[in-house]
Amino acid sequence: MRLSRYFLPVLKETPADAQIASHRYMLRAGMIRQQAAGIYSWLPLGFKVLKRIEQIVHEEQQRAGHIPMLMPTIQPADLWRESGRYDAYGPEMLRIRDRHDRDMLFGPTNEEMITDIFRAHVASYKSLPLTLYHIQWKFRDEIRPRFGVMRGREFYMKDGYNFDLTKEDALHAYNRHMVSYLRTYERMGLTAIPMRADSGPIGGDDTHEFLVLAPTGESDVFYDAGVTELKLGDREIDYDDREQVKGVCDEFTSLYARTDETHDEALYGAIPEDRRRAGKGIEVGQIFYFGTKYSEPMGANVQGPDGAKVPVHMGSHGIGVSRLVGAIIEASHDDNGIIWPEGVTPFHVGIVNMRAGDEACDATSTALYGTLKTLGLDPLLDDTDERAGAKFATMDLIGLPWRITVGPRGLKNGVVELTSRRTGESEELSPEAAVQKLAGLYEGHL
């Protein structure tokens, strides 16, 4: 993409109502525009990041054996009456009546609908285990929407649902989700800590939230410092190997890590003092096991091996896809703007043509752009006639991890400048060497 043809409405001034870094920078970088309280249009730059995050979520869900589908945003209220949640959910639910005077709602979650789909099509234990998921817009009518996409009313979310014959099978699905989430967040450049949490209106006894540490987080968290050093890395995971999957979950949950809702002072006090940490966290996902909470009242039964009908054991598992955009910025920014991790950046590299109209600069910039595209990279070429300072400020603001600067002085010596957004360090390389280095840096991210 050439910047001269792109829609990137950057702002020089910070909007007065933007209180946290992610909200400020998403507005200033032209990623979103507020249409109503807690409801945003996703402009091209923000939409690209949203889709990169969505793609990682899809890949890791399917790697774990989960099957994608799509459910509607509008749900019939009768399903929620069956489960008993229609009146219990509270004013966060947006209730609607259609032209035939039927009660409907804009879905905040999909346990009832997926259970209805399951009971209509699955009758035997031989069809289990089964995990279905989708990524869809949700709506919760927050009383005070704030912090941009971090606490909006409309949000984009992955929610998955497992159906299993026994509790043991369902807990393996729970563990499988935990491992897939750990890998998902690592690919996004995040350290997301699984913490024992409260189930809230979803229900169930077993639940972990995944929290990214950040001073602007809405949750108080208490943890052993050792949890921040745990990484999956490149290890191969066989998601059908129950012992291996459970072993990874035990590794990541054996050290103390809890939100304020489940905090235990006695357990926390047993941690060596030099490892005790307290801070704030941003929730970016949650997994639940809730047994037969929905299957029993809604009649989601299967015939077991002995011929008897039994309610299936279920769990639900969510990742806040749109919220992750804000969480990543909260965890990765400086005073000049966003610093995108390579896995989710909207463009892999920014090419800054320092003198648009100069024959050598134009030719080299265009050649770099074309070569990077053929390698599968997605460059953004700043071919505008803005002054150098403005070009650099825009690149810093939108946060691309790497920048290639093409100027007449460097080209006389046969070099361009490759700069890291994270460290600010630059090196002079031939255009060919700069391309080779970028290809190596993004190996594993494409």
Side-chain angles (χ1 to χ4, degrees), residues 42-162:
W42 288 76
L43 306 183
L45 193 76
F47 186 62
K48 277 180 76 75
V49 177
L50 190 71
K51 285 299 174 180
R52 290 206 190 277
I53 290 172
E54 180 183 1
Q55 184 60 34
I56 290 173
V57 172
H58 273 303
E59 289 171 3
E60 293 306 327
Q61 285 300 294
Q62 291 172 55
R63 190 201 298 239
H66 308 156
I67 304 167
M69 59 178 295
L70 186 63
M71 289 175 276
T73 58
I74 304 297
Q75 304 182 26
D78 286 347
L79 286 176
W80 286 65
R81 291 192 175 107
E82 274 191 69
S83 72
R85 280 208 302 174
Y86 185 67
D87 294 318
Y89 201 90
E92 289 78 25
M93 181 188 289
L94 182 63
R95 292 164 168 84
I96 306 164
R97 282 214 172 148
D98 68 12
R99 66 192 300 165
H100 301 291
D101 213 30
R102 290 178 295 225
D103 289 327
M104 312 291 282
L105 58 100
F106 195 128
T109 183
N110 281 73
E111 282 80 7
E112 285 80 2
M113 184 169 285
I114 196 70
T115 304
D116 178 56
I117 292 168
F118 177 88
R119 70 184 177 183
H121 298 288
V122 180
S124 169
Y125 76 97
K126 293 179 181 178
S127 298
L128 304 180
L130 179 65
T131 296
L132 302 169
Y133 80 93
H134 74 157
I135 300 178
Q136 179 60 290
W137 291 100
K138 304 281 194 296
F139 192 93
R140 292 177 190 161
D141 202 2
E142 294 274 359
I143 189 169
R144 283 187 299 273
R146 56 199 177 118
F147 301 156
V149 302
M150 296 287 287
R151 183 172 279 195
R153 291 193 292 165
E154 185 181 54
F155 54 96
Y156 202 44
M157 179 178 170
K158 171 262 162 183
D159 45 320
Y161 306 91
N162 66 281

Side-chain angles (χ1 to χ4, degrees), residues 63 73 98 128 166 193 210 257 268 287 294 309 440:
R63 190 201 298 239
T73 58
D98 68 12
L128 304 180
T166 67
I193 303 168
F210 291 79
Y268 182 64
I287 58 177
Y294 297 93
K309 285 200 168 184

